[in-house]
Amino acid sequence: MFFGQKLKFLREEHGYLQRQIASLLDIDTPMYSRIERSERFAKEEHIPILAKYYNIDEKELRQLWLADKVYDVIAGESSANDVLSIVSESIVEYGKEKTNS
């Protein structure tokens, strides 16, 4: 479940209207609607606001937000899995370098 889907699920689970959440984030309702439909990205600063409002783990929400961004960049690429493997390996190597510093 990506960021927009998660937001829609949480909003409906709590019985909120899109306009209520849009107001919380200080954006207009059509913009919030596009975020839920994954047509636009939420701002990074919205993540802690939403996590606190819904009383959920901010880390989980941030991971979904980042996953959306990565997906948007590589989704149509025929080598998307290979690209993700390279990135994953690089992240592991980066982590090793950081611990050895």
Side-chain angles (χ1 to χ4, degrees):
M1 179 182 297
F2 287 98
F3 190 78
Q5 294 167 313
K6 181 70 170 186
L7 292 184
K8 182 176 182 180
F9 171 80
L10 289 167
R11 181 181 57 77
E12 289 177 345
E13 181 180 55
H14 288 85
Y16 298 132
L17 301 172
Q18 284 184 340
R19 65 182 154 87
Q20 291 172 293
I21 306 305
S23 177
L24 172 73
L25 300 176
D26 198 26
I27 59 175
D28 62 26
T29 304
M31 173 66 77
Y32 180 77
S33 178
R34 289 190 291 274
I35 291 169
E36 277 193 1
R37 293 191 314 265
S38 298
E39 295 172 0
R40 292 291 304 255
F41 290 110
K43 293 181 179 179
E44 189 172 5
E45 65 224 31
H46 292 155
I47 297 168
I49 296 167
L50 291 162
K52 184 175 180 180
Y53 191 71
Y54 287 121
N55 194 30
I56 60 170
D57 182 28
E58 183 179 333
K59 181 180 177 182
E60 175 193 356
L61 210 51
R62 183 172 306 280
Q63 287 173 343
L64 291 172
W65 180 79
L66 285 169
D68 264 354
K69 289 181 146 299
V70 171
Y71 182 83
D72 185 60
V73 171
I74 67 169
E77 298 292 331
S78 60
S79 60
N81 286 333
D82 295 331
V83 170
L84 287 175
S85 292
I86 292 167
V87 171
S88 180
E89 289 170 15
S90 296
I91 290 171
V92 169
E93 287 301 314
Y94 178 77
K96 288 179 184 175
E97 289 174 13
K98 291 288 273 186
T99 56
N100 291 333
S101 300

